[in-house]
Amino acid sequence: AQTVTQSQPEMSVQEAETVTLSCTYDTSESDYYLFWYKQPPSRQMILVIRQEAYKQQNATENRFSVNFQKAAKSFSLKISDSQLGDAAMYFCAYRSAITSGSRLTFGEGTQLTVNP
Amino acid sequence: KAGVTQTPRYLIKTRGQQVTLSCSPISGHRSVSWYQQTPGQGLQFLFEYFSETQRNKGNFPGRFSGRQFSNSRSEMNVSTLELGDSALYLCASSYGTSGGITAGELFFGEGSRLTVL
């Protein structure tokens, strides 16, 4: 079974600064997808960024980028130029590309606070 | 395009009762997944339905069940409610594929907050 671990329950950052959220995972599969989801107080989970394991290039989406280290099974999220609206719970998630379906395995989450 | 709609948003039940939650996926999406979110256990996968068939099931007791209708709308039911069933229940939809492997993004609803007294 796959597991996802987020070792930082809480993080804080000053507005306009950069912050990195950590995520490690464990799997015996070679093909999979990794995601970062954001859950603001409104509760709706929103996809921030995704990474296909077969791609060596790190994914980027505007101010959000990842550092994907497949051998180390590490998948960190970097938020640049942090904004007040980035404050939320962030979840790292894993999905197999081998077994059927859309099942996600989530980490415990990291609560990000952005200070003005 | 309307998003994933979950009803009801909030509900309060007592132990022993049963509850039914509803999820309407994004138009055109055929896969619907359900997750339970609690402070102690985090986000846990309940089950997934695709084209009216359960495709995956998480490690939950048989009191948790679901179904999907021909229009892709899904319901989940929890019978004989326990205090520990208090949680936010999230529904997610995706386009899915008939072959089973999907790379489509999951879109989540705002959830149904269940409180069991």
Side-chain angles (χ1 to χ4, degrees):
Chain A
Q2 296 81 27
T3 59
V4 178
T5 302
Q6 293 177 248
S7 58
Q8 306 156 315
E10 298 177 346
M11 291 283 285
S12 63
V13 63
Q14 292 296 126
E15 198 175 1
E17 297 294 307
T18 296
V19 65
T20 299
L21 308 184
S22 301
C23 172
T24 58
Y25 59 95
D26 189 28
T27 183
S28 59
E29 297 177 337
S30 58
D31 200 9
Y32 48 87
Y33 305 96
L34 295 167
F35 306 87
W36 279 98
Y37 278 89
K38 168 185 176 180
Q39 187 179 38
S42 68
R43 308 185 321 204
Q44 188 164 25
M45 300 274 281
I46 302 166
L47 178 65
V48 174
I49 199 166
R50 62 179 281 165
Q51 174 81 41
E52 290 86 350
Y54 65 86
K55 290 186 177 179
Q56 292 186 334
Q57 187 173 7
N58 289 324
T60 62
E61 286 288 342
N62 300 313
R63 298 182 296 107
F64 299 87
S65 62
V66 299
N67 184 4
F68 173 49
Q69 301 289 329
K70 190 172 184 179
K73 296 180 181 174
S74 170
F75 182 61
S76 61
L77 174 69
K78 185 172 81 172
I79 306 175
S80 304
D81 186 24
S82 296
Q83 300 176 0
L84 295 177
D86 295 332
M89 181 72 85
Y90 285 81
F91 291 95
C92 179
Y94 172 103
R95 190 172 85 216
S96 171
I98 299 172
T99 57
S100 64
S102 306
R103 178 176 185 163
L104 291 175
T105 300
F106 286 93
E108 304 89 341
T110 297
Q111 182 67 52
L112 178 66
T113 301
V114 181
N115 300 308
Chain B
K1 200 173 192 180
V4 178
T5 304
Q6 292 189 245
T7 57
R9 293 287 308 279
Y10 302 90
L11 66 167
I12 299 173
K13 294 285 187 179
T14 57
R15 280 179 297 176
Q17 287 187 311
Q18 75 165 15
V19 66
T20 299
L21 309 178
S22 178
C23 172
S24 293
I26 291 171
S27 178
H29 285 190
R30 294 186 293 168
S31 169
V32 174
S33 305
W34 289 89
Y35 292 83
Q36 181 196 64
Q37 186 175 20
T38 60
Q41 299 297 317
L43 280 152
Q44 293 188 291
F45 173 79
L46 280 157
F47 28 64
E48 178 193 3
Y49 287 87
F50 179 81
S51 293
E52 303 179 65
T53 301
Q54 189 179 84
R55 186 156 68 174
N56 277 303
K57 188 177 190 306
N59 188 25
F60 278 82
R63 300 186 297 108
F64 292 80
S65 63
R67 58 177 175 170
Q68 187 179 34
F69 303 94
S70 59
N71 62 357
S72 293
R73 188 178 71 86
S74 177
E75 289 181 347
M76 67 163 283
N77 183 277
V78 188
S79 63
T80 319
L81 284 166
E82 301 177 358
L83 295 178
D85 297 333
S86 294
L88 179 66
Y89 290 88
L90 294 169
C91 168
S93 79
S94 68
Y95 182 75
T97 65
S98 59
I101 305 300
T102 175
E105 177 183 347
L106 267 66
F107 293 84
F108 284 83
E110 293 183 297
S112 293
R113 171 75 66 186
L114 170 65
T115 301
V116 181
L117 302 176

